[in-house]
PDB file of all heavy atoms in Angstrom:
ATOM      1  N   PRO A   1    -140.054-160.306  36.564  1.00 96.00           N
ATOM      2  CA  PRO A   1    -139.830-159.525  35.339  1.00 96.00           C
ATOM      3  C   PRO A   1    -140.671-160.093  34.194  1.00 96.00           C
ATOM      4  O   PRO A   1    -140.948-161.304  34.151  1.00 96.00           O
ATOM      5  CB  PRO A   1    -138.328-159.705  35.074  1.00 96.00           C
ATOM      6  CG  PRO A   1    -137.744-160.066  36.397  1.00 96.00           C
ATOM      7  CD  PRO A   1    -138.797-160.851  37.110  1.00 96.00           C
ATOM      8  N   GLU A   2    -141.094-159.231  33.289  1.00 96.00           N
ATOM      9  CA  GLU A   2    -141.823-159.693  32.104  1.00 96.00           C
ATOM     10  C   GLU A   2    -140.915-160.639  31.317  1.00 96.00           C
ATOM     11  O   GLU A   2    -139.778-160.302  30.994  1.00 96.00           O
ATOM     12  CB  GLU A   2    -142.229-158.510  31.231  1.00 96.00           C
ATOM     13  CG  GLU A   2    -143.200-157.544  31.899  1.00 96.00           C
ATOM     14  CD  GLU A   2    -144.605-158.101  32.013  1.00 96.00           C
ATOM     15  OE1 GLU A   2    -144.914-159.067  31.274  1.00 96.00           O
ATOM     16  OE2 GLU A   2    -145.383-157.584  32.829  1.00 96.00           O
ATOM     17  N   HIS A   3    -141.433-161.827  30.997  1.00 97.00           N
ATOM     18  CA  HIS A   3    -140.553-162.829  30.385  1.00 97.00           C
ATOM     19  C   HIS A   3    -141.360-163.816  29.556  1.00 97.00           C
ATOM     20  O   HIS A   3    -142.591-163.878  29.625  1.00 97.00           O
ATOM     21  CB  HIS A   3    -139.791-163.593  31.468  1.00 97.00           C
ATOM     22  CG  HIS A   3    -140.662-164.547  32.244  1.00 97.00           C
ATOM     23  ND1 HIS A   3    -141.491-164.123  33.262  1.00 97.00           N
ATOM     24  CD2 HIS A   3    -140.873-165.886  32.119  1.00 97.00           C
ATOM     25  CE1 HIS A   3    -142.151-165.151  33.754  1.00 97.00           C
ATOM     26  NE2 HIS A   3    -141.810-166.237  33.072  1.00 97.00           N
ATOM     27  N   VAL A   4    -140.644-164.613  28.788  1.00 97.00           N
ATOM     28  CA  VAL A   4    -141.209-165.728  28.047  1.00 97.00           C
ATOM     29  C   VAL A   4    -140.151-166.827  27.985  1.00 97.00           C
ATOM     30  O   VAL A   4    -138.945-166.536  27.938  1.00 97.00           O
ATOM     31  CB  VAL A   4    -141.644-165.302  26.624  1.00 97.00           C
ATOM     32  CG1 VAL A   4    -140.443-164.846  25.786  1.00 97.00           C
ATOM     33  CG2 VAL A   4    -142.388-166.422  25.907  1.00 97.00           C
ATOM     34  N   VAL A   5    -140.604-168.077  28.021  1.00 97.00           N
ATOM     35  CA  VAL A   5    -139.709-169.228  27.908  1.00 97.00           C
ATOM     36  C   VAL A   5    -139.891-169.844  26.530  1.00 97.00           C
ATOM     37  O   VAL A   5    -141.007-170.164  26.130  1.00 97.00           O
ATOM     38  CB  VAL A   5    -139.987-170.282  29.000  1.00 97.00           C
ATOM     39  CG1 VAL A   5    -139.047-171.477  28.840  1.00 97.00           C
ATOM     40  CG2 VAL A   5    -139.831-169.667  30.385  1.00 97.00           C
ATOM     41  N   ILE A   6    -138.790-169.992  25.821  1.00 96.00           N
ATOM     42  CA  ILE A   6    -138.799-170.577  24.477  1.00 96.00           C
ATOM     43  C   ILE A   6    -138.341-172.023  24.602  1.00 96.00           C
ATOM     44  O   ILE A   6    -137.214-172.297  25.018  1.00 96.00           O
ATOM     45  CB  ILE A   6    -137.870-169.794  23.532  1.00 96.00           C
ATOM     46  CG1 ILE A   6    -138.242-168.315  23.538  1.00 96.00           C
ATOM     47  CG2 ILE A   6    -137.951-170.355  22.119  1.00 96.00           C
ATOM     48  CD1 ILE A   6    -137.244-167.428  22.819  1.00 96.00           C
ATOM     49  N   GLN A   7    -139.234-172.954  24.264  1.00 93.00           N
ATOM     50  CA  GLN A   7    -138.950-174.385  24.391  1.00 93.00           C
ATOM     51  C   GLN A   7    -138.800-174.996  23.009  1.00 93.00           C
ATOM     52  O   GLN A   7    -139.645-174.792  22.139  1.00 93.00           O
ATOM     53  CB  GLN A   7    -140.081-175.100  25.135  1.00 93.00           C
ATOM     54  CG  GLN A   7    -140.343-174.566  26.532  1.00 93.00           C
ATOM     55  CD  GLN A   7    -141.448-175.330  27.225  1.00 93.00           C
ATOM     56  OE1 GLN A   7    -142.046-176.238  26.668  1.00 93.00           O
ATOM     57  NE2 GLN A   7    -141.738-174.954  28.454  1.00 93.00           N
ATOM     58  N   HIS A   8    -137.732-175.765  22.846  1.00 86.00           N
ATOM     59  CA  HIS A   8    -137.473-176.405  21.559  1.00 86.00           C
ATOM     60  C   HIS A   8    -137.741-177.897  21.654  1.00 86.00           C
ATOM     61  O   HIS A   8    -137.468-178.529  22.667  1.00 86.00           O
ATOM     62  CB  HIS A   8    -136.039-176.141  21.107  1.00 86.00           C
ATOM     63  CG  HIS A   8    -135.792-174.701  20.791  1.00 86.00           C
ATOM     64  ND1 HIS A   8    -135.935-174.179  19.531  1.00 86.00           N
ATOM     65  CD2 HIS A   8    -135.466-173.663  21.599  1.00 86.00           C
ATOM     66  CE1 HIS A   8    -135.684-172.885  19.565  1.00 86.00           C
ATOM     67  NE2 HIS A   8    -135.400-172.545  20.809  1.00 86.00           N
ATOM     68  N   GLN A   9    -138.280-178.445  20.577  1.00 72.00           N
ATOM     69  CA  GLN A   9    -138.679-179.838  20.544  1.00 72.00           C
ATOM     70  C   GLN A   9    -137.693-180.673  19.748  1.00 72.00           C
ATOM     71  O   GLN A   9    -137.095-180.212  18.775  1.00 72.00           O
ATOM     72  CB  GLN A   9    -140.063-179.981  19.909  1.00 72.00           C
ATOM     73  CG  GLN A   9    -141.190-179.370  20.741  1.00 72.00           C
ATOM     74  CD  GLN A   9    -142.510-179.500  20.020  1.00 72.00           C
ATOM     75  OE1 GLN A   9    -142.632-179.127  18.857  1.00 72.00           O
ATOM     76  NE2 GLN A   9    -143.495-180.042  20.711  1.00 72.00           N
ATOM     77  N   GLN A  10    -137.563-181.949  20.200  1.00 58.00           N
ATOM     78  CA  GLN A  10    -136.869-182.941  19.394  1.00 58.00           C
ATOM     79  C   GLN A  10    -137.912-183.808  18.702  1.00 58.00           C
ATOM     80  O   GLN A  10    -139.111-183.682  18.945  1.00 58.00           O
ATOM     81  CB  GLN A  10    -135.980-183.818  20.277  1.00 58.00           C
ATOM     82  CG  GLN A  10    -134.678-183.145  20.704  1.00 58.00           C
ATOM     83  CD  GLN A  10    -133.765-184.124  21.381  1.00 58.00           C
ATOM     84  OE1 GLN A  10    -134.221-185.044  22.050  1.00 58.00           O
ATOM     85  NE2 GLN A  10    -132.472-183.956  21.204  1.00 58.00           N
ATOM     86  N   GLN A  11    -137.476-184.716  17.859  1.00 51.00           N
ATOM     87  CA  GLN A  11    -138.406-185.633  17.209  1.00 51.00           C
ATOM     88  C   GLN A  11    -139.111-186.460  18.274  1.00 51.00           C
ATOM     89  O   GLN A  11    -138.494-186.920  19.231  1.00 51.00           O
ATOM     90  CB  GLN A  11    -137.669-186.550  16.233  1.00 51.00           C
ATOM     91  CG  GLN A  11    -137.139-185.808  15.014  1.00 51.00           C
ATOM     92  CD  GLN A  11    -136.480-186.736  14.032  1.00 51.00           C
ATOM     93  OE1 GLN A  11    -136.297-187.914  14.303  1.00 51.00           O
ATOM     94  NE2 GLN A  11    -136.124-186.206  12.873  1.00 51.00           N
ATOM     95  N   GLY A  12    -140.391-186.630  18.104  1.00 52.00           N
ATOM     96  CA  GLY A  12    -141.164-187.351  19.103  1.00 52.00           C
ATOM     97  C   GLY A  12    -141.844-186.426  20.075  1.00 52.00           C
ATOM     98  O   GLY A  12    -142.623-186.847  20.903  1.00 52.00           O
ATOM     99  N   GLY A  13    -141.536-185.132  19.986  1.00 50.00           N
ATOM    100  CA  GLY A  13    -142.226-184.155  20.822  1.00 50.00           C
ATOM    101  C   GLY A  13    -141.669-184.023  22.209  1.00 50.00           C
ATOM    102  O   GLY A  13    -142.256-183.350  23.048  1.00 50.00           O
ATOM    103  N   LYS A  14    -140.529-184.644  22.535  1.00 50.00           N
ATOM    104  CA  LYS A  14    -139.957-184.532  23.866  1.00 50.00           C
ATOM    105  C   LYS A  14    -139.160-183.248  23.997  1.00 50.00           C
ATOM    106  O   LYS A  14    -138.451-182.847  23.096  1.00 50.00           O
ATOM    107  CB  LYS A  14    -139.058-185.729  24.156  1.00 50.00           C
ATOM    108  CG  LYS A  14    -139.806-187.050  24.192  1.00 50.00           C
ATOM    109  CD  LYS A  14    -138.851-188.195  24.507  1.00 50.00           C
ATOM    110  CE  LYS A  14    -139.595-189.529  24.547  1.00 50.00           C
ATOM    111  NZ  LYS A  14    -138.670-190.642  24.825  1.00 50.00           N
ATOM    112  N   HIS A  15    -139.250-182.621  25.162  1.00 46.00           N
ATOM    113  CA  HIS A  15    -138.521-181.393  25.424  1.00 46.00           C
ATOM    114  C   HIS A  15    -137.194-181.728  26.087  1.00 46.00           C
ATOM    115  O   HIS A  15    -137.119-182.558  26.986  1.00 46.00           O
ATOM    116  CB  HIS A  15    -139.329-180.462  26.323  1.00 46.00           C
ATOM    117  CG  HIS A  15    -140.555-179.948  25.651  1.00 46.00           C
ATOM    118  ND1 HIS A  15    -140.524-178.955  24.712  1.00 46.00           N
ATOM    119  CD2 HIS A  15    -141.859-180.310  25.772  1.00 46.00           C
ATOM    120  CE1 HIS A  15    -141.744-178.708  24.277  1.00 46.00           C
ATOM    121  NE2 HIS A  15    -142.568-179.521  24.898  1.00 46.00           N
ATOM    122  N   VAL A  16    -136.158-181.104  25.647  1.00 46.00           N
ATOM    123  CA  VAL A  16    -134.839-181.307  26.211  1.00 46.00           C
ATOM    124  C   VAL A  16    -134.515-180.110  27.094  1.00 46.00           C
ATOM    125  O   VAL A  16    -134.677-178.960  26.686  1.00 46.00           O
ATOM    126  CB  VAL A  16    -133.786-181.448  25.093  1.00 46.00           C
ATOM    127  CG1 VAL A  16    -132.395-181.615  25.711  1.00 46.00           C
ATOM    128  CG2 VAL A  16    -134.133-182.623  24.215  1.00 46.00           C
ATOM    129  N   GLY A  17    -134.053-180.385  28.334  1.00 45.00           N
ATOM    130  CA  GLY A  17    -133.827-179.304  29.278  1.00 45.00           C
ATOM    131  C   GLY A  17    -132.890-178.240  28.770  1.00 45.00           C
ATOM    132  O   GLY A  17    -133.118-177.060  28.980  1.00 45.00           O
ATOM    133  N   SER A  18    -131.810-178.613  28.118  1.00 52.00           N
ATOM    134  CA  SER A  18    -130.830-177.641  27.643  1.00 52.00           C
ATOM    135  C   SER A  18    -131.365-176.797  26.500  1.00 52.00           C
ATOM    136  O   SER A  18    -130.714-175.852  26.075  1.00 52.00           O
ATOM    137  CB  SER A  18    -129.554-178.362  27.193  1.00 52.00           C
ATOM    138  OG  SER A  18    -129.847-179.232  26.111  1.00 52.00           O
ATOM    139  N   LYS A  19    -132.568-177.143  26.007  1.00 85.00           N
ATOM    140  CA  LYS A  19    -133.160-176.416  24.888  1.00 85.00           C
ATOM    141  C   LYS A  19    -134.285-175.491  25.330  1.00 85.00           C
ATOM    142  O   LYS A  19    -135.216-175.227  24.581  1.00 85.00           O
ATOM    143  CB  LYS A  19    -133.674-177.411  23.838  1.00 85.00           C
ATOM    144  CG  LYS A  19    -132.584-178.259  23.204  1.00 85.00           C
ATOM    145  CD  LYS A  19    -131.552-177.407  22.478  1.00 85.00           C
ATOM    146  CE  LYS A  19    -130.518-178.290  21.801  1.00 85.00           C
ATOM    147  NZ  LYS A  19    -129.485-177.499  21.103  1.00 85.00           N
ATOM    148  N   LYS A  20    -134.199-174.997  26.559  1.00 93.00           N
ATOM    149  CA  LYS A  20    -135.162-174.014  27.050  1.00 93.00           C
ATOM    150  C   LYS A  20    -134.420-172.718  27.349  1.00 93.00           C
ATOM    151  O   LYS A  20    -133.392-172.732  28.022  1.00 93.00           O
ATOM    152  CB  LYS A  20    -135.866-174.504  28.315  1.00 93.00           C
ATOM    153  CG  LYS A  20    -136.746-175.732  28.130  1.00 93.00           C
ATOM    154  CD  LYS A  20    -137.411-176.088  29.449  1.00 93.00           C
ATOM    155  CE  LYS A  20    -138.247-177.348  29.327  1.00 93.00           C
ATOM    156  NZ  LYS A  20    -138.883-177.706  30.627  1.00 93.00           N
ATOM    157  N   VAL A  21    -134.964-171.639  26.846  1.00 95.00           N
ATOM    158  CA  VAL A  21    -134.346-170.327  27.049  1.00 95.00           C
ATOM    159  C   VAL A  21    -135.410-169.364  27.569  1.00 95.00           C
ATOM    160  O   VAL A  21    -136.481-169.233  26.967  1.00 95.00           O
ATOM    161  CB  VAL A  21    -133.746-169.777  25.734  1.00 95.00           C
ATOM    162  CG1 VAL A  21    -133.114-168.407  25.968  1.00 95.00           C
ATOM    163  CG2 VAL A  21    -132.725-170.751  25.165  1.00 95.00           C
ATOM    164  N   ALA A  22    -135.119-168.714  28.698  1.00 97.00           N
ATOM    165  CA  ALA A  22    -136.022-167.699  29.248  1.00 97.00           C
ATOM    166  C   ALA A  22    -135.430-166.324  28.974  1.00 97.00           C
ATOM    167  O   ALA A  22    -134.301-166.039  29.379  1.00 97.00           O
ATOM    168  CB  ALA A  22    -136.223-167.907  30.742  1.00 97.00           C
ATOM    169  N   VAL A  23    -136.190-165.487  28.291  1.00 97.00           N
ATOM    170  CA  VAL A  23    -135.770-164.119  27.996  1.00 97.00           C
ATOM    171  C   VAL A  23    -136.664-163.178  28.788  1.00 97.00           C
ATOM    172  O   VAL A  23    -137.891-163.254  28.688  1.00 97.00           O
ATOM    173  CB  VAL A  23    -135.860-163.808  26.490  1.00 97.00           C
ATOM    174  CG1 VAL A  23    -135.441-162.361  26.218  1.00 97.00           C
ATOM    175  CG2 VAL A  23    -134.992-164.778  25.694  1.00 97.00           C
ATOM    176  N   ALA A  24    -136.066-162.286  29.576  1.00 98.00           N
ATOM    177  CA  ALA A  24    -136.824-161.392  30.444  1.00 98.00           C
ATOM    178  C   ALA A  24    -136.326-159.963  30.290  1.00 98.00           C
ATOM    179  O   ALA A  24    -135.184-159.724  29.869  1.00 98.00           O
ATOM    180  CB  ALA A  24    -136.716-161.840  31.899  1.00 98.00           C
ATOM    181  N   PHE A  25    -137.187-159.004  30.647  1.00 98.00           N
ATOM    182  CA  PHE A  25    -136.844-157.581  30.584  1.00 98.00           C
ATOM    183  C   PHE A  25    -137.153-156.943  31.935  1.00 98.00           C
ATOM    184  O   PHE A  25    -138.196-157.206  32.536  1.00 98.00           O
ATOM    185  CB  PHE A  25    -137.653-156.875  29.493  1.00 98.00           C
ATOM    186  CG  PHE A  25    -137.454-157.462  28.116  1.00 98.00           C
ATOM    187  CD1 PHE A  25    -138.361-158.382  27.599  1.00 98.00           C
ATOM    188  CD2 PHE A  25    -136.360-157.103  27.341  1.00 98.00           C
ATOM    189  CE1 PHE A  25    -138.191-158.930  26.341  1.00 98.00           C
ATOM    190  CE2 PHE A  25    -136.173-157.645  26.083  1.00 98.00           C
ATOM    191  CZ  PHE A  25    -137.093-158.563  25.576  1.00 98.00           C
ATOM    192  N   LEU A  26    -136.248-156.070  32.386  1.00 97.00           N
ATOM    193  CA  LEU A  26    -136.445-155.376  33.657  1.00 97.00           C
ATOM    194  C   LEU A  26    -135.873-153.962  33.532  1.00 97.00           C
ATOM    195  O   LEU A  26    -134.750-153.679  33.925  1.00 97.00           O
ATOM    196  CB  LEU A  26    -135.772-156.137  34.804  1.00 97.00           C
ATOM    197  CG  LEU A  26    -136.168-155.719  36.224  1.00 97.00           C
ATOM    198  CD1 LEU A  26    -137.673-155.767  36.416  1.00 97.00           C
ATOM    199  CD2 LEU A  26    -135.486-156.594  37.268  1.00 97.00           C
ATOM    200  N   HIS A  27    -136.688-153.073  32.970  1.00 96.00           N
ATOM    201  CA  HIS A  27    -136.277-151.681  32.772  1.00 96.00           C
ATOM    202  C   HIS A  27    -136.829-150.775  33.873  1.00 96.00           C
ATOM    203  O   HIS A  27    -136.719-149.558  33.765  1.00 96.00           O
ATOM    204  CB  HIS A  27    -136.793-151.163  31.425  1.00 96.00           C
ATOM    205  CG  HIS A  27    -136.448-152.036  30.255  1.00 96.00           C
ATOM    206  ND1 HIS A  27    -135.166-152.434  29.982  1.00 96.00           N
ATOM    207  CD2 HIS A  27    -137.232-152.586  29.283  1.00 96.00           C
ATOM    208  CE1 HIS A  27    -135.169-153.193  28.883  1.00 96.00           C
ATOM    209  NE2 HIS A  27    -136.398-153.292  28.448  1.00 96.00           N
ATOM    210  N   THR A  28    -137.413-151.351  34.909  1.00 91.00           N
ATOM    211  CA  THR A  28    -138.109-150.559  35.921  1.00 91.00           C
ATOM    212  C   THR A  28    -137.128-149.724  36.738  1.00 91.00           C
ATOM    213  O   THR A  28    -135.911-149.911  36.692  1.00 91.00           O
ATOM    214  CB  THR A  28    -138.895-151.471  36.871  1.00 91.00           C
ATOM    215  OG1 THR A  28    -137.985-152.404  37.476  1.00 91.00           O
ATOM    216  CG2 THR A  28    -139.963-152.235  36.121  1.00 91.00           C
ATOM    217  N   ASP A  29    -137.709-148.796  37.523  1.00 88.00           N
ATOM    218  CA  ASP A  29    -136.891-147.952  38.389  1.00 88.00           C
ATOM    219  C   ASP A  29    -136.296-148.769  39.527  1.00 88.00           C
ATOM    220  O   ASP A  29    -136.655-149.935  39.746  1.00 88.00           O
ATOM    221  CB  ASP A  29    -137.737-146.805  38.948  1.00 88.00           C
ATOM    222  CG  ASP A  29    -139.004-147.300  39.617  1.00 88.00           C
ATOM    223  OD1 ASP A  29    -138.899-147.928  40.680  1.00 88.00           O
ATOM    224  OD2 ASP A  29    -140.109-147.080  39.070  1.00 88.00           O
ATOM    225  N   ALA A  30    -135.388-148.152  40.267  1.00 84.00           N
ATOM    226  CA  ALA A  30    -134.663-148.856  41.328  1.00 84.00           C
ATOM    227  C   ALA A  30    -135.598-149.390  42.406  1.00 84.00           C
ATOM    228  O   ALA A  30    -135.307-150.415  43.038  1.00 84.00           O
ATOM    229  CB  ALA A  30    -133.623-147.925  41.945  1.00 84.00           C
ATOM    230  N   TYR A  31    -136.723-148.731  42.617  1.00 85.00           N
ATOM    231  CA  TYR A  31    -137.641-149.114  43.686  1.00 85.00           C
ATOM    232  C   TYR A  31    -138.198-150.517  43.475  1.00 85.00           C
ATOM    233  O   TYR A  31    -138.316-151.302  44.413  1.00 85.00           O
ATOM    234  CB  TYR A  31    -138.777-148.102  43.774  1.00 85.00           C
ATOM    235  CG  TYR A  31    -139.689-148.298  44.956  1.00 85.00           C
ATOM    236  CD1 TYR A  31    -139.387-147.724  46.193  1.00 85.00           C
ATOM    237  CD2 TYR A  31    -140.852-149.058  44.838  1.00 85.00           C
ATOM    238  CE1 TYR A  31    -140.220-147.905  47.284  1.00 85.00           C
ATOM    239  CE2 TYR A  31    -141.693-149.245  45.923  1.00 85.00           C
ATOM    240  CZ  TYR A  31    -141.369-148.670  47.145  1.00 85.00           C
ATOM    241  OH  TYR A  31    -142.196-148.865  48.223  1.00 85.00           O
ATOM    242  N   THR A  32    -138.558-150.835  42.239  1.00 90.00           N
ATOM    243  CA  THR A  32    -139.130-152.154  41.947  1.00 90.00           C
ATOM    244  C   THR A  32    -138.116-153.124  41.361  1.00 90.00           C
ATOM    245  O   THR A  32    -138.416-154.315  41.226  1.00 90.00           O
ATOM    246  CB  THR A  32    -140.304-152.012  40.957  1.00 90.00           C
ATOM    247  OG1 THR A  32    -139.848-151.305  39.792  1.00 90.00           O
ATOM    248  CG2 THR A  32    -141.449-151.249  41.582  1.00 90.00           C
ATOM    249  N   PHE A  33    -136.939-152.635  41.013  1.00 95.00           N
ATOM    250  CA  PHE A  33    -135.937-153.497  40.384  1.00 95.00           C
ATOM    251  C   PHE A  33    -135.478-154.601  41.330  1.00 95.00           C
ATOM    252  O   PHE A  33    -135.466-155.788  40.972  1.00 95.00           O
ATOM    253  CB  PHE A  33    -134.739-152.663  39.927  1.00 95.00           C
ATOM    254  CG  PHE A  33    -133.647-153.464  39.263  1.00 95.00           C
ATOM    255  CD1 PHE A  33    -133.676-153.686  37.894  1.00 95.00           C
ATOM    256  CD2 PHE A  33    -132.602-154.012  40.000  1.00 95.00           C
ATOM    257  CE1 PHE A  33    -132.681-154.431  37.272  1.00 95.00           C
ATOM    258  CE2 PHE A  33    -131.605-154.757  39.391  1.00 95.00           C
ATOM    259  CZ  PHE A  33    -131.645-154.969  38.021  1.00 95.00           C
ATOM    260  N   ALA A  34    -135.091-154.224  42.552  1.00 94.00           N
ATOM    261  CA  ALA A  34    -134.476-155.181  43.482  1.00 94.00           C
ATOM    262  C   ALA A  34    -135.391-156.364  43.807  1.00 94.00           C
ATOM    263  O   ALA A  34    -134.963-157.533  43.705  1.00 94.00           O
ATOM    264  CB  ALA A  34    -134.021-154.462  44.748  1.00 94.00           C
TER     265      ALA A  34
END
């Protein structure tokens, strides 16, 4: 699905796992949805 991952930084530039969010869209027909 079309998507993007939003990553948030802490001080020092380290990424924290719980601070990643993937937002996706899937409006396609049933044929390609599954």
Side-chain angles (χ1 to χ4, degrees):
E2 296 287 341
H3 72 280
V4 63
V5 179
I6 306 170
Q7 301 181 358
H8 293 268
Q9 293 178 309
Q10 283 189 328
Q11 291 183 353
K14 296 181 180 179
H15 293 283
V16 178
S18 62
K19 297 299 183 181
K20 295 182 183 179
V21 180
V23 179
F25 302 97
L26 194 54
H27 308 307
T28 58
D29 53 69
Y31 187 87
T32 55
F33 180 89

